[in-house]
Amino acid sequence: MTHRLLWLLVPVAAGLGYWTVPQAAALRTPASEAPPQEEKRITKWVRQLEHAGSDQLPELLDKYLAMEPGQDRDFALRLLCARWAEVDPKGALVAFTVTEVTPGLRWRLLTEWALLDSDAAWAAIAAGKDGDQDRAVVTEMLLHEDPDVFMGWFRKTKALTPDDDPAWLAVAERHGKELEEIAVALAREDADERLKSLVTLLARSRATKDPEAGLQWASQLDPKIRTRAMRAVLDEWSLKDPLEVWKRISGDEAEKLAEAAKLGFPFDSLRGKILKSLIKESPEAAMKLVLETGSPETRMYSGDAQTFKEAFGSALAAGKMKGIDAYRLISSAKGSDSSIGLNAFHNLWRGMSEENLEQTFREVIAEPAEQNKGTALGGIANAWAIKDPEAAFAFIAKIENPVMKAEAYAGCLREGNDGHVDPQRLAEIFGRIPESDRAMAFATEMSNYGEPEVGEDPMNSAAPRFHPELLAPLFANLPASEALKQSAAVLALRWGEEDPAAALAWAKNLDDPATRSAAYEHAVDGWAFHDPYAAGTWLSKQAKGPERDAATLPFIRHLSRSDASKAWEWTDSIGNPSLRMDARVSALREWASVDSAAAQSAYQEIAAKLPAADAAKLSSCFSAK
Amino acid sequence: MKYLLPILASVATFFAVRHFRPNPELQDSPEQTAQRAELKGLARRVDRLGALESTSVAELEKLRRSGRATLQDLMWLLEQPGDGFEATWDWIEQAGYNESDRNLLRTALVSKWFDHDPDACLARIGACNYMDGSELAGRLLGRLFKGTPEQAEGVRKHLGLLVSLVGAVDSSLELPPGSPESAKTLLSLPEGAPRNTLLRFFAKSWLESDPAAAIAWLQQVPPEISTSALESFAEQMLNPYSTPTEAQRKLAADWLTTKAPKASLARLGPDLVASMAKSDPAGALAWAHKNLSAAPLAEATGKAIQQVLAKDSGEARRMVEELPPGNLRHLAAYKVAEAYLAENPADAVAWWLDQVDAKEKSIRGSFGAPERLGMKWSETQPDSFRARVANSSLPKLPESVLFSGINQLMKQDRAATFEWISSMSAKQRPELARAAYRSWSYDSPAEAAASFDSRPDLATGETAGQIASSWYSKDPQAALGWIANLPWGGPREAAMAKVKEIADFEVSLGGTFPEDLKKLLH
C-alpha cells in the first residue's frame, strides 16, 4: 500500500521540476533584464523616480545634471525625462527653461511626451520656423522608438530623409504603402535626393521579403532612381545570400545587370562587401571563387585584390590566419597570362605580432622562388621594422641570399602607409641599413618602380618620394659596386632636376670614379632636360676629363632636340671615343630629321677620318626613322 | 525494490521536466511581447535601457537590426564589450554600417581597447586601410594631451607605431593648440623620428594660429625640426588651393626668400613665384631666374607666365617665344596654348607646334601636352578640329594630337565620326579609321569588330590589327574567334600577326603559347 502511495510522488516531482527551473532573464521584469551589476545601476534611479512627483523632479534634475558626463548621467536623465513626461510634461518644459538645460534634454522630454501623447507634444512646440528644429529632432528620435508615432510626425514635418539606419526598415515594414505615396509625390516635386533616399528604403524593404521580386521592381523604375534602388536590393540581398548575389554580379548576365542598374561593372563596392563575408567563412573557397569568376585578363579585379588585402590583414592581425598560409594562398592567385601581385601590398602584414612576423619571415624565405616572394619579404620586414627595428634589422643582416636580403631592406624603405612616405623618416631608416648593404637596398627598391625617367612627375610615380639632400650623405664612403653606381644615378637624376648645383657638388666628392661619372651624367641629364643652355654654360667651364665626358653626352641628347647643329659642334669636346660616337649618333639623327642636307654635309666632313664601322654607324642616321 | 521504482520514477520525472521545459531565454511568449508593447512612460524607458546593458555581439546585432538603438547607444555599449574587443571589432566591420558610422563605432571601441590591450588594438588598427588607420591612430595620439597620465604613458610606449600609422595625414592628429606647455609635453617624448614628426605637425599648426609665438619657440629647437616645420607651413600657405591670410603668406615667403635652405627653396620656389607673380609677374620671373634652376625654374616660369596670360595673352606668347629651349619652354608653351585654345584652337595648336621640339610633339599618353591639347580641342570645338584635320593644305597634325582628338570625337558620337571619316579623301581615311577603331576597340572590342565587318570601306589590315590586339588583351578566346571568321586576306593576316606578337611577349614572360592561336596560325 505504502509503495503505491509513493507513485503520487511522480506528479509532485514533475511540478517541482517545472517550477524550480532557474528563472530566465526574459521572464523577469523588464528592468531586471540586465546583468546583475548593470541592474543595480538602473534600479537605483528607477527607485528614485518611480514614485517621484512633479515637486521632487526638479531636485533630481539638478542632481543628475551634476553627475559626470557619460553613460550613467545620460541614462539617469533619460529616465527622468520619461518620468516627468508621465507626471507633468508642461512643468518639465518650464523647469528645463529655468535650468537652461541643453536642447538635447528638451528633445528627450518631448520624445517621451510624444510616446505618451503625440498630439499634445506636437502642440507644445512653437509654431512656424521657431519650432522647426524641435520638430525635426524629435521626429528623428522617435524613429528609434515607435514606427507608428514616428510616422505621425514624419508625415507632418517632411524634414527627415531616410538613410541606412535599420530603424527605417521597421517603419517601411508597417507603413510601406504610405511611404510609396510620399515617393510618388516627391517625384512630382522633383525632390531628387529625398526621392532617391526614400526609394532606396522601399527597395531595401522589398528585398527583405522577396529580393528577386524587389530587383524586378527596382529595374522598372525611372532611370534617375533605378541605380540606387537596384543597388539597395542587391545590398540587402547580399546580407542574406551573398553567394547568390555574387553569382549575379559575376556570371554571364553580370554586365547586363550592371548596364541596367548603371552600377558600373564589376560592382566594386558591392563585390568588396560580399567578398569580405565570403573570406570570413573560408579564405580558400573565396579565393577559388574569385579566380573562377574574375576578370578575363588578370583573373582577379583590382578591387577584389584590395578586399583580400584588407580581409587577410584583419585575419592576420587577429591571429586567425597564419602568415605562411596567407602567403601561399595569395601566391595561388597567379594567373596563366598575368598575376595579381597581392603580395605587393606591403602593409598586409602590419597587424601581426613581432613573433609571428619573425616566424612568417623564416617560413617565406624557405618557400620556392615565386614572382612576388621578394615583395612579400619586404612587406614583412617593413611591418617588423616599425615594431622592433633592432630585431628586424639584426635578422635581415643575417639573411644569406643577397637578393632576398636586399628585398627585405628595400621593403623597410616603404615606411608609411600605401606609399605615403615621410622623407625624413625614410632617411632615418635608410641610415639604419649597414653600409655594406645600403646601396643594394636602395637600388633594389628603386628598380621595383622601373627605370626612372627624366621629367617624370614624382606625383605620378609610386616610388618613394625621397629628399636627395637627406639621402646623399648616407652614400658617402660606401664601397664601390654596381649597386652604388645605380643608386647614385637615381639620386643624381632626381637631384639634378631639383637642384643641379647641389647634385653636382655631391657628385664631385664621390670616391669611386665609375660612380662619380654616373652621378655627373644623370645630374646633367636632369638639368639639361629642363634647361639645356644653362647646363651647357656650366659644362663649358668644366675641365676635360671622364666626368665631363659623361655629363656632356646627355646634354648633347637634349640639346640636339632643339639645336642639332650646335649639339654636333659639342660632340668634339668629348674625349672618350665611345661616348663621342654615341653623342654624334644622337645629334646627327636629330639633325637629319630636320635638315638632312646640313647633316649630310657635316657628316661628309668627318666621315673620311673615321674608322669604317663608325662611319657606317653615323651613315645609318640618315636612313633611320 | 517495489519502493525504489516509484522513487526512481519521481527523480527521473523531476529532471526530465526540468530539462525539457522550453527555455524562456530563447523566445518571448506572445503574452510577454504584448506586455512589452504596452509599456509606457518610465516603465518603457526602463525596458529600453535595460536592453542597452547586454553587450554580447549577438545582442548588439539584435539591437542594431531592431532599429531601437541609436548610434550613440551602441557606442556606449562598446565601452564594455561582452564578447571581447576582437569579436566586437569584427562585428563592427561586418554589420553593414556606412563608413562614417563604422568609424564612430570603431573609435568608441578603440578608446577602451587601447587601455585594455594596446598591442591587440594596434594590430587591428594596423590592418585598417590607410585613412581609417591614420584617423584612429591620430585620436590615440591626442591622449598625450587630453588623456589620463596612464593613457598618456600608454601612448608613449607605442609612439613609433602610432606615428607611423598616422603617416602623412596630419589632419588626423588631435594635437592641442600651440602653447609652450604643449610644446614641452612633446619635447619630453623620447627623441627620434616619431617625436620629430609630431613636433613638425604641431609647429606647423602653431605657425598658422600664432606665428610670432611659434617662431620664438622654433628658435629654441634643433634646426632639423624648425626647418621641416617651417617648410611644411610654407608649403601649405603657398599652395594655390589654400587661402592663407596675407600675414601668413608673407611669413612663408619671407622665410623662403631669406632663411630657407636651398633644398626647401627648390621644392617650394615654383609656388612662391606663382604667388609673387599675382602682383608682379616680371619681378617674379626675374627672382625665379636668379634663385632657381632646372625643374623648379621651368615650373616657376610656367606659373608666372600664366599670371601674365590672364591679362595679356599676346604678351604671354611673346614671353614663351623668348624662352630657351627644353622643358622650360615646353611647360610654359603648354600653359599658354591651353588657355589660347579656348580663343582660337587651330591657331593655338599651330602656335604650340612652333614652340616645341619634335620629341615633345610626339609624346604619347594622357599626361602629355599633345594628347591633352588634342582632346580639349575636339571636346570643346569639334567642328574646328574636323576642319583642321580635313584641310590637306596644312601640315599633318602629329599623331598624338590627332588620335586623342579622334578618341574624343568617338566618345561624343561614334556614328557621326565614322560618317565623317568616310567622307574624307582616300589618302586620309586609313589613318583616321585606325584612330577611330583604336578608340572603339579599347572601350568595346566586340562592337568595334562588328562595325569592322559591316564597313568594308574602312576595313584595312591596320584597323583589323588594332581591334585584334585590344580584344585579345581583354578576352583572348573572343578575339581568336573573330579572327578565325575573317576572310582570307590582308586584314586577317594583320590581325593574326598582332595577336601572335602579344602571345610571344607573354611567352617571354614565362606564359604558354595558347593552343587555339597555334591552330589558327597553322
Side-chain angles (χ1 to χ4, degrees):
Chain A
M1 183 63 189
T2 325
H3 75 271
R4 283 189 188 148
L5 283 174
L6 276 176
W7 281 106
L8 290 173
L9 282 174
V10 173
V12 174
L16 277 173
Y18 187 87
W19 294 113
T20 57
V21 169
Q23 283 290 301
L27 281 184
R28 296 179 202 147
T29 59
S32 64
E33 278 185 6
Q37 196 188 345
E38 309 300 329
E39 183 184 10
K40 281 177 199 159
R41 185 173 62 186
I42 286 195
T43 311
K44 187 174 76 182
W45 301 311
V46 174
R47 269 204 299 272
Q48 290 169 356
L49 288 163
E50 62 191 346
H51 302 298
S54 52
D55 52 335
Q56 294 153 300
L57 289 167
E59 193 185 324
L60 287 171
L61 172 66
D62 290 340
K63 188 177 164 186
Y64 296 164
L65 283 173
M67 288 165 71
E68 278 285 310
Q71 192 183 10
D72 280 1
R73 181 177 184 266
D74 182 72
F75 274 25
L77 286 168
R78 283 159 87 167
L79 291 165
L80 175 95
C81 287
R83 177 62 183 158
W84 220 331
E86 278 181 335
V87 296
D88 181 14
K90 285 183 184 166
L93 282 178
V94 174
F96 283 6
T97 310
V98 173
T99 319
E100 294 181 353
V101 296
T102 57
L105 203 56
R106 176 185 156 76
W107 293 325
R108 286 231 180 266
L109 179 89
L110 285 165
T111 304
E112 295 290 355
W113 192 359
L115 289 165
L116 293 165
D117 185 346
S118 180
D119 292 342
W122 180 271
I125 297 174
K129 280 200 167 179
D130 289 350
D132 277 354
Q133 193 187 11
D134 281 358
R135 277 186 289 272
V137 178
V138 174
T139 307
E140 193 170 358
M141 290 173 107
L142 285 168
L143 174 67
H144 296 101
E145 298 291 344
D146 186 309
D148 297 339
V149 181
F150 164 78
M151 199 58 202
W153 282 59
F154 177 68
R155 211 175 278 139
K156 290 188 275 191
T157 55
K158 293 180 180 169
L160 208 55
T161 303
D163 57 19
D164 50 9
D165 191 322
W168 280 101
L169 275 180
V171 176
E173 177 76 22
R174 293 179 63 84
H175 300 279
K177 280 212 157 179
E178 188 178 350
L179 290 176
E180 282 187 19
E181 285 163 19
I182 294 175
V184 172
L186 286 174
R188 278 190 222 113
E189 290 169 23
D190 230 16
D192 261 11
E193 208 35 56
R194 286 196 75 204
L195 173 64
K196 280 180 191 164
S197 304
L198 194 51
V199 171
T200 302
L201 169 64
L202 292 167
R204 281 171 62 207
S205 176
R206 281 172 182 266
T208 55
K209 294 170 201 154
D210 182 350
E212 185 79 63
L215 195 61
Q216 180 64 23
W217 170 81
S219 67
Q220 308 294 324
L221 294 171
D222 186 285
K224 73 178 179 183
I225 49 176
R226 189 190 302 154
T227 299
R228 289 264 291 265
M230 289 181 79
R231 170 66 205 255
V233 173
L234 291 168
D235 261 336
E236 202 66 34
W237 195 354
S238 71
L239 295 175
K240 276 189 186 168
D241 191 350
L243 260 181
E244 176 58 33
V245 179
W246 181 268
K247 280 182 206 157
R248 302 242 170 187
I249 62 171
S250 307
D252 297 341
E253 302 292 303
E255 291 200 33
K256 272 189 195 166
L257 179 63
E259 178 58 32
K262 298 273 176 254
L263 274 170
F265 190 76
F267 303 90
D268 269 342
S269 63
L270 181 60
R271 287 177 79 87
K273 201 172 133 186
I274 297 173
L275 189 53
K276 218 178 248 182
S277 68
L278 297 175
I279 294 170
K280 200 192 168 205
E281 289 298 314
S282 163
E284 295 82 6
M287 182 66 83
K288 191 165 174 273
L289 188 69
V290 165
L291 295 180
E292 282 168 2
T293 57
S295 127
E297 309 101 86
T298 58
R299 301 182 72 199
M300 190 185 283
Y301 293 102
S302 60
D304 293 348
Q306 179 70 16
T307 307
F308 272 112
K309 183 194 90 168
E310 286 184 17
F312 280 16
S314 293
L316 291 168
K320 291 176 185 165
M321 191 177 203
K322 283 186 175 178
I324 188 66
D325 293 338
Y327 171 78
R328 286 177 182 153
L329 202 48
I330 284 167
S331 298
S332 74
K334 213 164 68 161
S336 57
D337 54 352
S338 59
S339 63
I340 284 287
L342 272 169
N343 283 336
F345 292 125
H346 64 275
N347 55 0
L348 182 73
W349 319 96
R350 281 278 168 90
M352 292 171 76
S353 68
E354 287 94 316
E355 297 74 34
N356 287 341
L357 283 164
E358 181 174 348
Q359 190 186 340
T360 307
F361 209 132
R362 290 179 191 281
E363 289 169 340
V364 173
I365 285 182
E367 287 287 294
E370 193 272 322
Q371 192 182 357
N372 286 312
K373 181 175 167 180
T375 319
L377 283 176
I380 298 165
N382 176 287
W384 194 5
I386 292 171
K387 294 191 170 182
D388 187 350
E390 304 296 334
F393 279 91
F395 183 91
I396 299 168
K398 288 179 196 156
I399 297 175
E400 284 175 6
N401 181 325
V403 177
M404 293 295 115
K405 187 197 249 187
E407 289 280 12
Y409 278 131
C412 298
L413 296 176
R414 265 164 258 154
E415 206 281 330
N417 281 302
D418 288 344
H420 292 261
V421 184
D422 176 347
Q424 293 195 349
R425 179 92 174 119
L426 180 80
E428 194 214 26
I429 298 168
F430 191 57
R432 278 179 180 270
I433 299 174
E435 289 192 346
S436 54
D437 298 325
R438 209 176 275 167
M440 188 64 179
F442 186 76
T444 301
E445 174 59 0
M446 297 315 289
S447 70
N448 283 328
Y449 305 94
E451 188 77 23
E453 281 183 28
V454 67
E456 189 177 42
D457 184 349
M459 298 300 282
N460 297 331
S461 164
R465 275 167 239 160
F466 57 83
H467 284 181
E469 80 278 10
L470 297 180
L471 294 194
L474 299 166
F475 282 100
N477 311 319
L478 296 191
S481 67
E482 188 55 31
L484 178 62
K485 200 173 125 185
Q486 287 169 13
S487 299
V490 172
L491 191 84
L493 182 69
R494 175 83 59 84
W495 210 354
E497 286 198 67
E498 281 181 18
D499 186 353
L504 288 161
W506 167 73
K508 191 178 175 184
N509 290 320
L510 288 168
D511 289 337
D512 173 49
T515 305
R516 197 163 55 235
S517 286
Y520 266 85
E521 177 192 341
H522 287 85
V524 171
D525 189 15
W527 190 3
F529 170 78
H530 296 282
D531 192 353
Y533 286 4
T537 305
W538 178 84
L539 271 174
S540 66
K541 293 173 190 162
Q542 302 306 304
K544 288 191 184 300
E547 289 83 18
R548 185 186 183 279
D549 282 353
T552 306
L553 177 60
F555 159 71
I556 286 174
R557 283 195 185 125
H558 291 297
L559 182 66
S560 56
R561 290 171 56 178
S562 56
D563 191 345
S565 66
K566 194 82 185 162
W568 179 258
E569 284 173 29
W570 266 89
T571 60
D572 283 340
S573 73
I574 298 180
N576 179 308
S578 167
L579 292 177
R580 188 169 59 233
M581 189 61 198
D582 286 350
R584 280 179 171 161
V585 168
S586 195
L588 199 63
R589 186 174 292 147
E590 292 287 349
W591 203 359
S593 69
V594 290
D595 187 350
S596 184
Q600 276 283 2
S601 159
Y603 164 69
Q604 294 300 340
E605 264 182 46
I606 63 162
K609 299 172 214 160
L610 295 174
D614 285 357
K617 204 171 176 186
L618 285 178
S619 172
S620 71
C621 295
F622 296 102
S623 54
K625 269 188 185 177
Chain B
M1 188 62 192
K2 61 186 176 188
Y3 294 103
L4 195 58
L5 199 61
I7 290 170
L8 285 175
S10 303
V11 170
T13 307
F14 174 82
F15 285 108
V17 169
R18 238 175 110 98
H19 181 75
F20 289 110
R21 183 186 162 180
N23 189 346
E25 279 186 32
L26 296 179
Q27 61 182 92
D28 289 351
S29 70
E31 291 80 3
Q32 284 155 4
T33 311
Q35 185 191 357
R36 282 195 192 180
E38 286 166 14
L39 290 172
K40 288 191 178 299
L42 182 62
R44 185 180 191 283
R45 187 55 52 207
V46 169
D47 179 39
R48 285 297 185 96
L49 296 184
L52 291 182
E53 295 189 357
S54 302
T55 58
S56 69
V57 163
E59 286 294 334
L60 287 169
E61 179 57 12
K62 202 169 138 192
L63 260 178
R64 186 190 74 82
R65 282 178 177 270
S66 75
R68 289 180 168 196
T70 63
L71 200 66
Q72 179 60 61
D73 290 335
L74 291 168
M75 283 161 69
W76 269 326
L77 287 177
L78 296 183
E79 292 187 359
Q80 287 179 311
D83 287 340
F85 292 99
E86 290 279 0
T88 310
W89 175 276
D90 286 341
W91 170 73
I92 295 171
E93 293 294 294
Q94 280 154 21
Y97 282 107
N98 62 41
E99 202 177 320
S100 148
D101 291 352
R102 188 172 62 235
N103 285 346
L104 286 169
L105 291 169
R106 273 177 178 166
T107 305
L109 187 71
V110 160
S111 72
K112 293 289 170 188
W113 195 359
F114 188 76
D115 292 340
H116 183 76
D117 184 352
D119 291 328
C121 177
L122 288 176
R124 295 311 287 269
I125 295 177
C128 283
N129 70 43
Y130 174 42
M131 292 306 290
D132 291 352
S134 177
E135 192 175 331
L136 290 167
R139 281 181 188 274
L140 288 172
L141 281 164
R143 292 176 167 206
L144 286 170
F145 306 93
K146 286 190 283 190
T148 62
E150 294 76 30
Q151 287 178 326
E153 188 51 33
V155 172
R156 280 167 172 267
K157 280 184 187 163
H158 298 87
L159 196 66
L161 185 50
L162 282 165
V163 172
S164 142
L165 286 166
V166 165
V169 192
D170 59 336
S171 58
S172 302
L173 267 173
E174 288 195 351
L175 290 174
S179 72
E181 293 72 34
S182 300
K184 206 172 154 190
T185 304
L186 281 172
L187 281 168
S188 72
L189 294 171
E191 281 187 25
R195 185 189 77 156
N196 291 354
T197 304
L198 288 182
L199 281 166
R200 184 171 76 243
F201 288 145
F202 169 76
K204 181 183 143 200
S205 147
W206 196 0
L207 280 162
E208 285 169 39
S209 59
D210 185 354
I215 294 273
W217 174 72
L218 280 172
Q219 281 164 356
Q220 300 161 30
V221 301
E224 67 269 21
I225 295 173
S226 60
T227 300
S228 64
L230 280 155
E231 185 176 328
S232 293
F233 168 75
E235 185 179 8
Q236 185 161 329
M237 294 304 118
L238 297 171
N239 183 308
Y241 301 105
S242 67
T243 50
T245 62
E246 183 47 34
Q248 287 172 329
R249 196 204 65 79
K250 190 171 179 312
L251 175 62
D254 286 350
W255 175 74
L256 260 182
T257 49
T258 59
K259 293 183 183 137
K262 195 86 195 306
S264 306
L265 193 60
R267 282 189 282 272
L268 303 182
D271 282 341
L272 175 66
V273 169
S275 162
M276 291 158 82
K278 283 178 187 166
S279 55
D280 178 11
L285 263 181
W287 185 90
H289 279 276
K290 192 175 164 196
N291 294 285
L292 303 174
S293 58
L297 176 61
E299 258 190 76
T301 305
K303 289 182 176 189
I305 291 180
Q306 225 173 355
Q307 295 297 329
V308 178
L309 188 67
K311 292 167 195 158
D312 185 347
S313 62
E315 172 64 8
R317 286 200 293 277
R318 194 192 57 71
M319 288 170 82
V320 172
E321 287 157 15
E322 285 175 5
L323 288 173
N327 198 44
L328 183 61
R329 182 193 274 199
H330 294 159
L331 270 183
Y334 172 69
K335 284 182 196 299
V336 171
E338 194 190 22
Y340 188 20
L341 200 78
E343 204 181 303
N344 184 337
D347 284 358
V349 172
W351 175 82
W352 177 79
L353 289 170
D354 281 346
Q355 303 312 311
V356 301
D357 58 46
K359 193 170 178 191
E360 181 72 6
K361 286 174 200 167
S362 64
I363 287 177
R364 303 300 295 258
S366 55
F367 290 118
E371 292 210 0
R372 280 150 82 176
L373 289 172
M375 190 185 77
K376 199 169 176 187
W377 185 1
S378 72
E379 183 185 13
T380 55
Q381 301 194 40
D383 291 339
S384 153
F385 177 75
R386 277 190 288 259
R388 171 63 180 81
V389 173
N391 189 340
S392 53
S393 65
L394 293 173
K396 260 176 60 177
L397 286 174
E399 200 175 83
S400 48
V401 176
L402 180 71
F403 274 46
S404 66
I406 300 278
N407 183 40
Q408 193 58 39
L409 291 180
M410 287 291 287
K411 284 189 194 313
Q412 288 165 9
D413 190 340
R414 276 180 194 154
T417 303
F418 267 86
E419 282 314 309
W420 169 68
I421 293 172
S422 296
S423 72
M424 301 294 281
S425 69
K427 197 178 164 197
Q428 287 174 307
R429 262 203 311 267
E431 189 183 27
L432 299 177
R434 187 161 62 90
Y437 275 121
R438 182 182 140 134
S439 165
W440 199 353
S441 61
Y442 183 79
D443 290 339
S444 332
E447 284 180 24
S451 161
F452 179 90
D453 296 340
S454 65
R455 298 292 303 243
D457 56 326
L458 300 178
T460 64
E462 275 194 324
T463 49
Q466 187 70 67
I467 295 168
S469 62
S470 295
W471 205 356
Y472 188 79
S473 303
K474 290 192 173 188
D475 189 345
Q477 291 307 316
L480 293 180
W482 176 67
I483 297 169
N485 285 323
L486 284 174
W488 292 102
R492 181 188 169 102
E493 295 299 318
M496 284 200 295
K498 273 286 175 193
V499 295
K500 182 176 179 301
E501 209 174 276
I502 301 172
D504 284 341
F505 180 67
E506 279 173 6
V507 169
S508 74
L509 295 179
T512 48
F513 200 90
E515 284 302 317
D516 289 351
L517 179 56
K518 270 186 200 166
K519 282 181 202 159
L520 192 65
L521 289 168
H522 288 116

